[in-house]
Amino acid sequence: MSNTIFSLSGFDSFGDVAAEDDAVLNYFLATKAVENIEKNSVFMALGRKGTGKTALVRYFTEGAGVGQASKSLNLRGYPWNVHAARMDHGASPIEAYVSSWKYLIAVELASLVLSHRDSWKSLSSKTLTKFLNDNYGGTNPDLSEILRPQRLALSKLSFNPSVMGNALGGIDLERSGKDHRFGLELNALSGSIMSAVVEVAKDTGQNHIKLHFDELDQGMSTLEDDRAHMLIGLVLAAREVRRGSGSGGVEVTPVVYLRTDLWDELQFSDKNKISQTLALNIVWNGDNLLELVEARLQSKLGAGVSWSDVAESDLMRGSQRKWDHILARTFLRPRDVIHFLNIILAEAKKRAVEPTHFTNQDIINSRDEYSQYLKRELDDEIGSHWPQWEEAVQALSTISTITFGRGEFEQEYSRRKSRLNKISDDDALALLYRFSVIGYQRRSGYGGSSWAFQYTDPEAGWDNGASRFKVHPGLKEYAKLREKRGND
C-alpha cells in the first residue's frame, strides 16, 4: 500500500451495472474498441451482454468532438411489426429489408445534419426540411414513426427521384406481394436524401457522421425468421451506406451493436467476411478491467489511488490474490465486476471498521448473492435459446461437484428432461459451453491439461469428444457445488 491511507467508507459504489444508468463518461477508458470505431475501420460491435456496447454508444454520442456528429438510435420498443410490413418482395428473403433500412438511415442522417446550428446556410437543408415536414410534420421524426406512413409525399420542392426514367410523385410504403418496384423506388429516394445530407454536412463542417444502433435485442424472446431477416437487412444496409460514404470528404457510418449470441444465429453469405474484416469483438481482460476499476476509484477518491490501496494484501485460500479470485467468478465483463464489487463494498461497510478495506471474509460473504446474480444474467441470455435450461442446472446441482464427467451429466439430465425440452444430452453440453456455463478439459502435448471456456478462449471451439467438464466458478454457490478432492 502507499503511504496515503484511503478508506471506502465514503465510497458510494463502483457504478451502475447498466451503462445507460451510469455516469460512464467520468471514467470511460479509451479502449481499442473506441479507436477502431473512430477510425471508421469497423461498422459492427459484437459483444456478450454486459461487455460495454451501450457504454461505447454513450461515449460517442455524449462526447462527440469538433467536426463529428453522432446519434444514438435506441431500438427498445421499436415497432418491428410495422417494419415487417415494409418488405421488398422483389428481393431475396435475406435482402428483403435492406431498402427500408437504408431509407430509415437516410432520414435519421437528414435529421442529424439539420440539427446543426448552421444548417440553414446550406441550400440542401431547405430540400431536406421540406421533405421531413411534408411527411413527418417536423425535422426530428421519432424513430418509431419513420416507416409508419402509408405513403411518402414527394414534390419538386423536396425530392423528385425517378425510376427507369419515370419521375415518382410519391411512394406507397404499403404494397401487395405482387408489386416488385418497392425497393427500386425507396432506394432512389434514399439516394436523393443521402446526396442532400452530404451537401449539408460539407457546408456545416460535419466531416464524420455516425448513427449508433443499440438495444436491438430488447423485447426479443426468440429470433424468428422475419426478425432475423430484418437484422440481416440492417447489417447489409449499414455496410452499403458506409461503402457509399467519403464523397466530398464526409464519412458516414452507421454502427450496429449486437449481442454475440444473436450474431451467431444469423445466416447469410457475407457474414464471415464481415466478421473477419468489419466487425469488432468487444473483449476485456484482467488488466483493462483493473484499469476500469481504478479509474472509478480515482474519480471519487483522488488521483493515484489503486486497487492495492483499498484491498488488504493477504491471499485468499489457495494462494489466490483477491483480484484474481473476483475475476475468476466473472465472465470478464465490466457488468459482472461492477456488480460483484458493489456487493463486496456493502459487506465491508457492515463491519464499520476504519479504514474500510476489502478483506477475504468480505469477498467470501458476497459470493452467494453474486452467484444468484450471475444465474439471473444467464437466464436472460440462455432463456430465449433454451427455455428449459434450468433442467441442466438441476442436473449439475445433483452431481454436486464443480468438475464432472459426461456420463454423470447424461444420467442426471435425462432424469430431469421434460417433454417440452427438445435439447439432447450432447446439444445441452454444447449450449452450456457456448454460454460459458461449463468448460471442458483440454489435454496438452506435454501430459498436462487445462480448462477451455468460451469466454476466455473463443478460438478453442467446442470439442464434441470432451469427457471431463468444469462448471464456471461463479455458479458454484448457486448450484451448491463443492470441489472434488484428489481430482483435477
Side-chain angles (χ1 to χ4, degrees):
M1 285 191 178
S2 64
N3 293 329
T4 303
I5 297 177
F6 296 95
S7 175
L8 291 169
S9 59
F11 190 85
D12 53 349
S13 83
F14 284 86
D16 292 305
V17 170
E20 58 267 26
D21 300 324
D22 199 4
V24 67
L25 297 185
N26 290 345
Y27 32 64
F28 190 89
L29 294 175
T31 62
K32 191 71 173 177
V34 170
E35 181 182 342
N36 286 334
I37 294 173
E38 280 182 337
K39 289 183 176 179
N40 201 31
S41 59
V42 299
F43 78 94
M44 289 201 68
L46 305 174
R48 195 171 179 177
K49 177 184 176 184
T51 51
K53 296 185 296 297
T54 297
L56 275 173
V57 174
R58 288 194 58 196
Y59 176 85
F60 283 105
T61 55
E62 296 178 30
V66 177
Q68 300 179 359
S70 278
K71 183 176 183 180
S72 169
L73 300 179
N74 189 311
L75 277 83
R76 185 187 295 268
Y78 182 71
W80 293 99
N81 59 327
V82 174
H83 200 141
R86 306 307 186 231
M87 182 179 182
D88 179 6
H89 294 281
S92 67
I94 293 298
E95 297 183 336
Y97 296 101
V98 175
S99 57
S100 53
W101 279 116
K102 285 173 66 178
Y103 170 72
L104 182 145
I105 290 169
V107 170
E108 286 290 355
L109 288 169
S111 177
L112 178 57
V113 296
L114 288 176
S115 66
H116 193 280
R117 64 188 180 190
D118 293 329
S119 64
W120 61 273
K121 297 178 181 179
S122 174
L123 293 176
S124 293
S125 68
K126 297 178 181 178
T127 309
L128 290 175
T129 300
K130 173 66 174 170
F131 173 78
L132 294 176
N133 281 332
D134 287 349
N135 290 284
Y136 302 105
T139 60
N140 188 28
D142 189 271
L143 177 65
S144 64
E145 298 299 317
I146 291 176
L147 293 176
R148 198 177 294 276
Q150 295 181 1
R151 181 176 174 81
L152 297 174
L154 303 175
S155 71
K156 292 181 180 180
L157 295 178
S158 62
F159 296 104
N160 195 22
S162 62
V163 174
M164 292 182 289
N166 298 315
L168 302 176
I171 297 178
D172 292 321
L173 292 184
E174 294 191 353
R175 302 287 183 99
S176 68
K178 297 179 181 179
D179 191 339
H180 291 174
R181 297 171 301 172
F182 178 81
L184 293 174
E185 295 178 1
L186 207 53
N187 285 338
L189 173 59
S190 299
S192 297
I193 296 173
M194 285 301 302
S195 295
V197 164
V198 169
E199 288 302 314
V200 175
K202 283 197 299 184
D203 293 342
T204 53
Q206 300 177 77
N207 302 321
H208 303 277
I209 305 174
K210 287 182 171 62
L211 292 178
H212 302 267
F213 287 86
D214 193 22
E215 303 276 14
L216 286 162
D217 61 318
Q218 287 299 318
M220 187 183 301
S221 56
T222 58
L223 189 60
E224 298 175 351
D225 285 347
D226 61 343
R227 183 68 68 87
H229 291 159
M230 280 187 276
L231 290 179
I232 293 169
L234 173 58
V235 172
L236 297 179
R239 183 180 63 171
E240 285 191 27
V241 171
R242 176 181 177 274
R243 278 177 175 173
S245 75
S247 60
V250 177
E251 284 189 345
V252 180
T253 307
V255 185
V256 179
Y257 298 78
L258 195 62
R259 268 187 9 218
T260 307
D261 60 300
L262 295 180
W263 178 246
D264 290 343
E265 289 201 21
L266 301 181
Q267 300 297 326
F268 60 103
S269 59
D270 285 346
K271 177 181 174 181
N272 187 58
K273 185 187 300 183
I274 293 172
S275 295
Q276 296 298 321
T277 61
L278 296 171
L280 163 78
N281 286 293
I282 304 172
V283 293
W284 295 80
N285 58 42
D287 291 338
N288 54 29
L289 283 169
L290 182 59
E291 286 184 62
L292 175 73
V293 168
E294 290 185 335
R296 296 184 173 212
L297 288 170
Q298 291 166 15
S299 72
K300 299 178 181 181
L301 296 181
V305 64
S306 66
W307 171 256
S308 62
D309 292 319
V310 297
E312 294 186 356
S313 60
D314 55 322
L315 300 176
M316 302 288 292
R317 179 185 174 187
S319 301
Q320 190 178 40
R321 296 184 305 170
K322 290 180 177 61
W323 178 247
D324 294 335
H325 185 90
I326 291 167
L327 280 186
R329 282 162 169 74
T330 74
F331 290 126
L332 296 181
R333 306 182 300 189
R335 176 187 296 255
D336 302 336
V337 173
I338 291 168
H339 193 83
F340 203 172
L341 291 178
N342 282 339
I343 298 172
I344 300 170
L345 178 63
E347 285 292 327
K349 288 183 176 181
K350 286 179 184 178
R351 293 185 286 104
V353 174
E354 286 293 345
T356 302
H357 292 154
F358 288 159
T359 68
N360 289 350
Q361 196 60 46
D362 294 333
I363 296 172
I364 293 169
N365 292 346
S366 302
R367 292 191 311 210
D368 279 340
E369 183 179 344
Y370 172 78
S371 192
Q372 294 282 342
Y373 148 83
L374 200 64
K375 170 58 167 54
R376 292 194 300 271
E377 288 288 295
L378 288 166
D379 285 337
D380 289 344
E381 289 189 79
I382 305 176
S384 61
H385 305 276
W386 181 14
Q388 299 81 24
W389 92 281
E390 178 68 35
E391 295 169 9
V393 178
Q394 293 169 2
L396 296 175
S397 292
T398 302
I399 294 171
S400 78
T401 53
I402 199 164
T403 58
F404 62 94
R406 182 181 287 267
E408 292 176 283
F409 177 79
E410 290 173 348
Q411 180 179 356
E412 297 301 336
Y413 179 64
S414 62
R415 287 178 179 174
R416 286 157 183 79
K417 188 178 174 185
S418 63
R419 181 177 55 84
L420 294 176
N421 188 353
K422 306 301 182 184
I423 304 298
S424 68
D425 301 342
D426 289 342
D427 289 342
L429 287 170
L431 275 169
L432 291 174
Y433 171 79
R434 174 182 167 186
F435 288 95
S436 297
V437 175
I438 63 170
Y440 63 85
Q441 191 174 47
R442 179 175 51 181
R443 298 292 179 182
S444 71
Y446 302 96
S449 65
S450 60
W451 296 105
F453 279 89
Q454 168 68 18
Y455 77 102
T456 55
D457 192 6
E459 300 301 320
W462 169 240
D463 182 0
N464 285 318
S467 59
R468 296 292 301 165
F469 306 93
K470 182 177 183 178
V471 180
H472 187 281
L475 292 170
K476 182 178 178 181
E477 286 73 27
Y478 176 85
K480 297 179 173 55
L481 305 177
R482 57 181 172 79
E483 302 287 343
K484 184 175 282 188
R485 293 191 178 185
N487 194 42
D488 303 310

